Amino acid sequence: MKKECIAMLLAGGQGSRLYALTQKMAKPAVPFGGKYRIIDFPLSNCTNSGIDTVGVLTQYQPLELNDYIGNGQPWDLDRLRGGVHILPPYQTASGSSWYEGTANAIYQNIRFIERYDPEYIIVLGGDHIYKMDYSEMIKFHKAKGADATIAVLQVSLQEASRFGIMTCDDNSQVVDFTEKPKEPKSTLASMGIYVFTWKKLEKYLIENEQQGGSKDFGKDIIPAMIDNNEKLFAYSFNGYWKDVGTLASLWEANMDILKPDDVLNLYDADWKIYSRNMSLPPQYIGQDAQIEDSLICDGCNVNGSVNSSVVYSGVTIEENVIIDHSVIMPGTVVKSGSIVRYSIIGEESIIENDTVIGAAKDEVSNGQKWDIAVIGHGQTIPSGITVAPGQMIPTI
């Protein structure tokens, strides 16, 4: 059962900054890009990179995510030796606890990792949209003789305090790392993707458990390795990457795939993003429908106007409806006369007749705060209701 490298995918976070969209659903299970869910991206990256053993560490509201992943068949991870494994917290003879941090989550699954006796493990987040060849990062790690390799990208100085920020020497070796610094020393940010030489990481995980602390990679493990002069290197990534942990970033990432210079490129035959999809009929576009610069998925029935929007599978848009710069998630029905602008509408929601949700920035009066309007999953918005820009209707 020995594997050179296995992946550990951290998918248990609450995703509280997505508010209404994660009240009853783990963040990695949130729909994205018409026919996908967020977790499709790291799982597909694993498959495309030749990594066939993935542990998915779940915790918060895991039902939808567990059901979606299933046996891993859509990502070619239904293997007799390896494949995808759901790893929730569990009880032992000495007691039980939730995952207490990113490092503790890996620590609690040491026995799973040891089953495959890997040389390396790659630790991934479950809430990022990107395409990345992990095999190239592993080659870099091996060539450097590294104990740990951190995937990095340049961010703006204004954004830097949201990330783990590092300083490197001319050989890309990490000499300083600070998690979410108030005054960043650089703009080289961690992507939350790590390759570790397993035996070295195992030692630090055990020591960290004994010492206590936050039990987090960015706050404990990485700084401890630097302090002990271990060999840590930064691996530069230059492609599209988006942390979709906020409503604004999730909306922006959906809008990004509509841009002419879409660097994510969901149509790339050489790096497919795989997903579990319902067998739905083809989309139907009515004779009076008007669609411009939009993505319309299978099973949709569109009879209204759709502009610069992402319309997910199985959505019904009736006549005299206007959808503009919005994200309409699977199974939603928008009834006649309604207007939806700059909004996110959750799964299986019903927008009754003559409802107004959201508005463009230039439609907001001076001094009034503007933001994306959000409707949670499974909501019914009564006829004639107006949902203001920035207003949120949570999942009940």
Side-chain angles (χ1 to χ4, degrees), residues 9-29:
L9 203 167
L10 301 168
Q14 184 174 352
S16 58
R17 293 179 299 165
L18 288 178
Y19 303 102
L21 300 180
T22 52
Q23 285 179 286
K24 296 185 178 181
M25 175 187 301
K27 180 164 55 173

Side-chain angles (χ1 to χ4, degrees), residues 227-254:
D227 289 344
N228 290 331
N229 297 313
E230 306 289 6
K231 297 175 70 177
L232 279 74
F233 288 86
Y235 176 79
S236 294
F237 178 74
N238 298 314
Y240 181 92
W241 180 87
K242 193 91 166 182
D243 179 344
V244 288
T246 67
L247 292 169
S249 63
L250 179 65
W251 178 83
E252 289 168 1
N254 275 276

Side-chain angles (χ1 to χ4, degrees), residues 98-154:
W98 293 110
Y99 293 143
E100 299 174 42
T102 53
N104 175 259
I106 304 299
Y107 171 81
Q108 289 197 40
N109 287 284
I110 285 178
R111 286 187 60 196
F112 168 78
I113 296 169
E114 288 178 338
R115 290 178 62 189
Y116 299 100
D117 189 25
E119 296 294 325
Y120 313 102
I121 74 165
I122 182 166
V123 179
L124 308 169
D127 54 358
H128 303 145
I129 301 297
Y130 66 110
K131 297 195 298 186
M132 181 179 181
D133 189 344
Y134 301 140
S135 68
E136 293 298 321
M137 185 175 174
I138 295 165
K139 287 178 186 177
F140 176 90
H141 179 89
K142 292 161 68 173
K144 293 290 187 181
D147 298 307
T149 299
I150 306 169
V152 298
L153 76 170
Q154 292 288 347

Side-chain angles (χ1 to χ4, degrees), residues 186-385:
S186 79
T187 56
L188 195 62
S190 168
M191 297 168 61
I193 300 170
Y194 310 100
V195 173
F196 291 99
T197 298
W198 168 238
K199 290 303 179 185
K200 182 71 70 171
L201 175 61
E202 184 180 25
K203 168 179 173 291
Y204 278 90
L205 290 174
I206 294 171
E207 289 178 356
N208 184 241
E209 283 297 314
Q210 294 169 345
Q211 295 166 0
S214 63
K215 301 181 181 181
D216 182 84
F217 280 109
K219 295 177 181 177
D220 291 349
I221 303 297
I222 300 301
M225 295 183 79
I226 294 173
D227 289 344
N228 290 331
N229 297 313
E230 306 289 6
K231 297 175 70 177
L232 279 74
F233 288 86
Y235 176 79
S236 294
F237 178 74
N238 298 314
Y240 181 92
W241 180 87
K242 193 91 166 182
D243 179 344
V244 288
T246 67
L247 292 169
S249 63
L250 179 65
W251 178 83
E252 289 168 1
N254 275 276
M255 295 299 103
D256 285 345
I257 64 177
L258 300 177
K259 294 178 180 178
D261 59 347
D262 170 27
V263 291
L264 185 60
N265 190 5
L266 297 176
Y267 301 92
D268 184 359
D270 295 326
W271 199 271
K272 292 182 180 179
I273 302 300
Y274 302 96
S275 65
R276 182 181 298 280
N277 291 295
M278 301 292 290
S279 296
L280 294 172
Q283 67 211 187
Y284 172 77
I285 310 300
Q287 62 180 357
D288 295 324
Q290 295 181 328
I291 299 174
E292 184 176 353
D293 187 31
S294 295
L295 191 156
I296 310 293
C297 290
D298 51 336
C300 288
N301 188 325
V302 181
N303 291 280
S305 171
V306 182
N307 176 56
S308 297
S309 296
V310 179
V311 180
Y312 290 54
S313 302
V315 169
T316 297
I317 297 173
E318 295 186 353
E319 65 281 354
N320 300 316
V321 165
I322 296 175
I323 306 291
D324 180 41
H325 284 83
S326 291
V327 176
I328 314 297
M329 291 187 174
T332 288
V333 176
V334 185
K335 294 190 176 181
S336 179
S338 291
I339 299 173
V340 180
R341 297 189 190 275
Y342 291 83
S343 300
I344 299 175
I345 311 297
E347 291 187 79
E348 304 292 339
S349 291
I350 298 174
I351 311 302
E352 295 285 5
N353 303 78
D354 304 314
T355 297
V356 177
I357 299 176
K361 285 184 180 181
D362 57 11
E363 295 176 318
V364 174
S365 59
N366 292 336
Q368 184 180 353
K369 183 180 178 181
W370 179 90
D371 208 337
I372 301 299
V374 179
I375 307 299
H377 304 299
Q379 297 306 292
T380 297
I381 309 301
S383 297
I385 292 293

